[in-house]
Amino acid sequence: MSAAPRERSTFLGLLPWPERKAVAQALRTETVGGLVLLVAAVVALVWANTPWSDVYEEIRDVHFGIPALGLDLSVGHWTADGLLTVFFLVAGIELKRELVVGELRTPATAALPVIAAVCGMAVPAALYAATAGAGGGRLDGWAVPMATDIAFALAFLAVLSTHLPSALRAFLLTLAVVDDLGAILIIAIFFTSDLDFLALGGAFAGLGVFYVLQRLRVTGWWWYVPLGVATWALMYNGGVHATVAGVAMGLILRTTRDKGEAASPAERTSHLLHPVSAGVAVPLFALFAAGVGVSGAALAQVFTAPEPLGVVLGLVVGKTLGIFAGTYLAARFTRARLNPDLAWADVLALAVLAGIGFTVALLIGELAFPDPADAEHIKAAVLIGSLLAAGLAAVLIKRRNGIYRRLYEEETLDEDANGIPDIYERAGTGPAAPGADR
């Protein structure tokens, strides 16, 4: 007797109700934060191109801190090394949630977004290397066009006033989560200064204590805040970029709830820090990182110098090719069936949208090109590449927005006004369904 053929899974189908709620909450905060980020970036660009640009530079370069502890940093460095640690802490929590209860919890569901994200990082890096190498440029910036800025992408969608279905938004979020993991690994491995093994040992000891406190179910911010700050300072002085401490603590935080627990430590921390990360930390980083001088000569260099050109091509072309090809091949390999209500054109639009790289791209650009003059050209390339990707995505998404609006209305319709969309009750996947909240 022959075995029954394996049922094909649906790619970009209806999300389970608990996952839909978690994704909606995360995306809501990211969208609002992205709009603030957008305003901060515009302010930085305008300010840096006015007669008061010297004031901008003076404020960015003001130093303060505790020199005895090796923490005498400029305002720009405090935003990059300090505030972005909060961003990566939240990213670590989101990654842990995806690994425990989200799309990455099983190899079958993780394969497609992970392959797509890895291809979406590898192809831009290869395209940058090919462009810079062919033009006789430096290869240092290979990692700049690898990361997607989910907040900026969602802010763009909000400005565009689209009705993108939740499955497409969730796939974009998962891509960005894997991107963030790849970025932090690259920063930790390739952008370290002279290592101080004593300080690094102290940082890892701090993370060990953090882990033990979590396992012992110890609560109270007075334990974790001083420990987290000390671990961050030791990581910075150890020569590893301090944001690594943030993502490590995010991954250590417990995601699952104990019996009788209203929210896990990861959920409580994310609830408190996600608005701070999206609305304060990342916009302030953008305010002091995106202020680049824009002139005809500077714009011309973006398209003639090999390094900036490699960044632009990596974001606009590399991201699109990498994510689309990776998604298509992974779907074929895993025998996943595309949601019949959607088309591969929708995946292409999402791949183009993922070319919006801002926060992490600017951070890696500063690390890869310590010379401010070189960094300015790379930052300009990130901004131009992101704008080009956004413009192309707008054309592709608007073409399909009628279909998106219909799907969005179907998946949000709640005629009985009980707080659960009717489509979930018809499918038997609402909160009342067996195992729906697991």
Side-chain angles (χ1 to χ4, degrees):
M1 182 178 176
S2 59
R6 188 179 61 179
E7 184 180 352
R8 300 177 68 183
S9 60
T10 300
F11 171 50
L12 297 179
L14 184 67
L15 293 175
W17 177 238
E19 179 73 5
R20 161 80 181 278
K21 290 193 296 182
V23 167
Q25 182 178 358
L27 293 179
R28 192 179 303 113
T29 305
E30 292 285 4
T31 301
V32 174
L35 293 172
V36 180
L37 171 63
L38 188 59
V39 171
V42 171
V43 169
L45 278 172
V46 172
W47 193 359
N49 289 278
T50 64
W52 303 280
S53 60
D54 55 338
V55 178
Y56 173 84
E57 294 174 2
E58 288 173 7
I59 294 175
R60 184 187 60 194
D61 296 335
V62 168
H63 277 247
F64 66 95
I66 309 174
L69 298 179
L71 296 175
D72 184 21
L73 309 178
S74 68
V75 170
H77 278 116
W78 274 113
T79 59
D81 294 83
L83 289 180
L84 278 194
T85 301
V86 179
F87 165 78
F88 278 107
L89 171 58
V90 173
I93 292 173
E94 182 58 33
L95 175 62
K96 179 75 172 287
R97 193 197 72 81
E98 289 285 342
L99 289 169
V100 175
V101 297
E103 288 293 299
L104 305 180
R105 68 187 181 279
T106 62
T109 57
L112 206 152
V114 168
I115 291 172
V118 169
C119 291
M121 291 186 284
V123 175
L127 191 54
Y128 172 91
T131 305
R138 295 164 53 187
L139 300 181
D140 305 55
W142 60 273
V144 175
M146 291 175 63
T148 295
D149 194 308
I150 183 65
F152 228 130
L154 291 172
F156 168 74
L157 289 176
V159 172
L160 200 59
S161 187
T162 66
H163 297 78
L164 211 63
S166 58
L168 286 171
R169 292 175 185 264
F171 186 63
L172 182 64
L173 177 62
T174 306
L175 287 176
V177 167
V178 180
D179 260 4
D180 287 341
L181 174 62
I184 200 66
L185 289 174
I186 288 166
I187 290 171
I189 296 170
F190 296 101
F191 296 103
T192 56
S193 54
D194 296 332
L195 297 180
D196 183 331
F197 290 101
L198 183 61
L200 273 182
F204 284 114
L207 291 174
V209 173
F210 198 96
Y211 176 84
V212 171
L213 291 176
Q214 281 291 288
R215 298 288 79 76
L216 294 177
R217 303 311 196 251
V218 175
T219 59
W221 64 266
W222 50 88
W223 291 100
Y224 294 100
V225 172
L227 179 61
V229 172
T231 301
W232 169 85
L234 287 166
M235 189 73 75
Y236 176 83
N237 283 291
V240 175
H241 201 270
T243 51
V244 174
V247 78
M249 286 184 279
L251 289 170
I252 290 172
L253 281 169
R254 179 167 54 85
T255 305
T256 55
R257 302 177 188 178
D258 286 339
K259 185 176 180 180
E261 198 173 32
S264 68
E267 289 174 311
R268 292 195 297 271
T269 304
S270 180
H271 178 74
L272 288 172
L273 292 185
H274 207 154
V276 176
S277 169
V280 179
V282 174
L284 279 178
F285 167 75
L287 181 63
F288 293 106
V292 297
V294 178
S295 64
L299 293 177
Q301 188 159 11
V302 169
F303 295 100
T304 55
E307 296 91 346
L309 180 60
V311 171
V312 172
L313 291 177
L315 287 172
V316 180
V317 179
K319 272 289 184 184
T320 302
L321 289 177
I323 292 176
F324 183 79
T327 304
Y328 182 78
L329 293 174
R332 294 291 299 272
F333 177 75
T334 59
R335 291 179 51 81
R337 179 176 62 93
L338 182 66
N339 182 347
D341 290 321
L342 297 172
W344 284 105
D346 302 311
V347 179
L348 177 64
L350 212 63
V352 175
L353 184 65
I356 298 177
F358 191 76
T359 306
V360 177
L362 291 176
L363 174 62
I364 295 178
E366 289 185 344
L367 296 174
F369 296 92
D371 186 331
D374 294 334
E376 291 284 294
H377 297 137
I378 297 300
K379 289 179 181 180
V382 170
L383 295 173
I384 290 172
S386 298
L387 285 173
L388 289 174
L392 290 172
V395 173
L396 295 173
I397 290 172
K398 278 297 187 181
R399 283 183 62 250
R400 302 274 296 170
N401 201 41
I403 295 171
Y404 298 155
R405 183 182 292 108
R406 175 178 61 81
L407 294 176
Y408 177 80
E409 290 172 352
E410 287 178 1
E411 68 179 28
T412 56
L413 180 65
D414 183 17
E415 290 186 335
D416 55 7
N418 67 348
I420 304 167
D422 298 340
I423 193 171
Y424 286 96
E425 295 177 313
R426 290 197 301 269
T429 57
D437 287 319
R438 291 178 190 170

